Amino acid sequence: MSSTERSEDPLKPAGAAGPASPARRRSAPLGGSEAHAVGSVGALFLGCIADDFTGATDLANNLVRAGMRVVQTIGVPSGPLGAEVDAVVVALKSRTVPPAQAVAESLAALAWLQAQGAQQIYFKYCSTFDSTARGNIGPVTEALMDALATGFTIATPAFPDNQRTVFKGYLFVGDVLLSESGMQNHPLTPMTDANLVRVLQSQTTRRVGLIDHRVVARGEAAVRERMAQLQAEGVGVAIVDAVSNDDLLRLGPALKDMPLVTAGSGVAIALPANFGITPSDQASRLPAAIGLQAVVSGSCSLATNRQVLDFMKQGHPALAIDPLRIASGADVAAEVLAWARPLLAQGPVLVYSTADSSDVKSVQGRLGVEEAGALVERTLAAVARGLVQLGVRQLVVAGGETSGACVQALGITQMQIGPQIDPGVPWCHALCELAPQEGLHLTLKSGNFGTDDFFSKAFTMLA
Ligand code: ADP
């Protein structure tokens, strides 16, 4: 147990997170000229720290669907937020870094969120509880508890909508245990034990306990009673069972006033109601879309391959880039932009590196896996930048790593989360140094997400 002073009552707010105030009157929705109104920072209900980029968007998407206005930041911002929202998700890349670094980055995010007035802190990790042997879920949770001077929190990656359920402390992915789901072979975070009490206990000095399904099924009072009992027994973190959205919704009220919640993105569906917020279209309102449209795809996942084909079948212009030509020293980005320039006025264009697996393997064999990936990412990031310089203001990026490279090249540090295009993939509106006045509509699609017509459908949603 840490010697840091902390509250004895799990439900009693402690530290700077403070109590959840009665629901404040929600001000005018963000949108149109009100979006990103600088200097109108109000009380922030939820301050979230996510351990990776696409996980942050997943969490933000769930909060928006539950009615919160949400901004996602890329890393810890250097200044104040400058927008009135209900929740902020700070996206870190701390899942697999050394524990001390993950702790330092998470504490920096916490300090910034506290400075913005966050009333409750949410530490978001993967719904498959991805962690290395040393963490980082345990060390980060413990550091946040110490900093918030709180003696108790929960931990549950349950996300039933996404086939992640927790029963008797065991995590299931679909119908099988986590340790039989393929995650046992993950190159960075192999998960060989599905018992989350054991997994978390191996990463933290706090005692880990369980709030099991029978308790959750009985609702808020039973959960609160169990939390008090666990804390009296010296437990600091409780894994919570949940096999359905109803379980999460029953759990939610018992988390009101808890300074720190740790979870996957599932629990997020139940928290906005604690602040008097209900689902509303206004939460996902973005400024009106303007400008030219383009898709940049560096994903070779099966779903993306189908999306590229579908987009071309619909008659939209598309250009493939060749990694070997990039390796030969040709300025492929400049060539692509020269091709796109006259076409953009007629509608969306697609630039893709997408190839089938035998082509990718052959290129990787000649260039090396990392070198091939890096070359393609750098080129597509330069293309994305050039497209925005040509007037593109609605940009679809396909591929997780590709998205990271593009966001970095575009100098994006903050995105407001808008309507969901497909599960897990919302439109966002980003502040962008290349479009300082109007910003940029952007969607970042993980490789295997989205229906076949995703690329064309995305633009019709903004029309
Ligand atoms: P996904 O979300 O589908 O995993 P990512 O963007 O995360 O997509 O990863 C795809 C990786 O493959 C990137 O590093 C990208 O640069 C690389 N890549 C894309 N196209 C090719 C290609 N034709 N040959 C080799 N590597 C490629």
Side-chain angles (χ1 to χ4, degrees):
M1 298 279 283
S2 158
S3 59
T4 308
E5 191 194 338
R6 58 184 95 108
S7 155
E8 289 312 307
D9 179 353
L11 308 178
K12 187 168 153 245
S21 65
R24 70 168 154 78
R25 265 221 165 297
R26 304 196 52 209
S27 55
L30 284 178
S33 59
E34 286 161 310
H36 305 302
V38 175
S40 59
V41 181
L44 186 66
F45 291 141
L46 268 185
C48 310
I49 303 166
D51 69 355
D52 90 333
F53 189 87
T54 44
T57 308
D58 180 16
L59 170 62
N61 188 50
N62 274 354
L63 292 171
V64 168
R65 291 172 66 216
M68 280 188 160
R69 301 163 302 166
V70 183
V71 157
Q72 176 180 334
T73 69
I74 315 302
V76 182
S78 51
L81 185 62
E84 183 161 342
V85 290
D86 302 307
V88 177
V89 182
V90 176
L92 301 178
K93 211 172 179 308
S94 55
R95 185 169 293 167
T96 55
V97 301
Q101 186 184 341
V103 164
E105 290 175 9
S106 303
L107 289 177
L110 172 67
W112 183 84
L113 288 165
Q114 287 177 316
Q116 311 309 304
Q119 295 179 16
Q120 186 171 44
I121 301 298
Y122 190 126
F123 169 39
K124 152 66 170 85
Y125 36 74
C126 189
S127 66
T128 40
F129 218 66
D130 297 14
S131 29
T132 65
R134 293 189 300 157
N136 292 326
I137 296 174
V140 170
T141 298
E142 199 163 338
L144 293 173
M145 290 174 78
D146 285 346
L148 288 163
T150 185
F152 191 85
T153 187
I154 61 139
T156 181
F159 189 12
D161 274 353
N162 219 5
Q163 307 294 309
R164 311 289 194 263
T165 53
V166 181
F167 186 67
K168 303 277 180 196
Y170 285 80
L171 175 57
F172 288 81
V173 177
D175 295 330
V176 299
L177 287 168
L178 172 68
S179 47
E180 298 166 16
S181 68
M183 276 302 295
Q184 70 273 28
N185 301 319
H186 191 284
L188 299 177
T189 53
M191 300 301 292
T192 54
D193 187 358
N195 183 311
L196 299 183
V197 175
R198 265 196 311 256
V199 172
L200 189 55
Q201 191 63 84
S202 71
Q203 300 177 12
T204 177
T205 60
R206 306 266 178 160
R207 258 187 74 194
V208 181
L210 175 66
I211 300 176
D212 96 354
H213 184 248
R214 285 164 303 184
V215 173
V216 176
R218 284 173 27 231
E220 178 184 356
V223 173
R224 284 182 182 270
E225 194 184 320
R226 176 70 176 148
M227 290 198 292
Q229 182 194 3
L230 285 172
Q231 203 184 25
E233 292 169 5
V235 168
V237 188
I239 300 292
V240 186
D241 280 357
V243 298
S244 66
N245 278 359
D246 286 346
D247 285 338
L248 295 176
L249 294 170
R250 274 190 284 269
L251 171 67
L255 306 180
K256 191 173 181 178
D257 305 341
M258 192 177 257
L260 173 69
V261 171
T262 88
S265 64
V267 169
I269 67 170
L271 295 190
N274 287 344
F275 300 97
I277 293 176
T278 51
S280 140
D281 286 349
Q282 292 184 337
S284 61
R285 258 183 66 194
L286 297 179
I290 54 161
L292 306 173
Q293 303 166 324
V295 184
V296 170
S297 175
S299 158
C300 301
S301 298
L302 292 178
T304 308
N305 289 356
R306 288 196 299 270
Q307 288 155 355
V308 166
L309 280 178
D310 186 274
F311 190 78
M312 291 194 285
K313 240 194 301 180
Q314 293 191 35
H316 298 296
L319 185 67
I321 65 166
D322 174 3
L324 294 177
R325 233 180 106 56
I326 306 172
S328 76
D331 190 347
V332 172
E335 293 168 7
V336 167
L337 294 169
W339 165 83
R341 188 191 298 266
L343 296 170
L344 282 164
Q346 290 140 47
V349 303
L350 164 67
V351 180
Y352 66 101
S353 64
T354 308
D356 66 29
S357 57
S358 59
D359 286 350
V360 172
K361 281 211 179 75
S362 139
V363 166
Q364 288 174 334
R366 293 174 70 172
L367 300 176
V369 174
E370 282 189 11
E371 179 62 8
L375 279 178
V376 172
E377 280 171 36
R378 272 204 301 274
T379 303
L380 289 179
V383 167
R385 211 179 143 81
L387 287 169
V388 173
Q389 280 163 335
L390 288 176
V392 167
R393 295 291 179 271
Q394 301 174 39
L395 181 66
V396 174
V397 183
E401 294 299 324
T402 309
S403 293
C406 289
V407 161
Q408 203 174 15
L410 290 167
I412 288 170
T413 55
Q414 192 171 306
M415 311 189 308
Q416 188 188 339
I417 309 299
Q420 175 175 290
I421 306 165
D422 272 326
V425 201
W427 268 114
C428 306
H429 183 256
L431 302 180
C432 175
E433 62 188 15
L434 299 177
Q437 299 302 320
E438 67 278 27
L440 173 71
H441 283 79
L442 181 70
T443 183
L444 307 172
K445 189 195 79 69
S446 261
N448 266 323
F449 282 16
T451 55
D452 289 359
D453 61 349
F454 182 91
F455 292 158
S456 42
K457 179 173 72 179
F459 295 114
T460 58
M461 275 189 66
L462 287 181

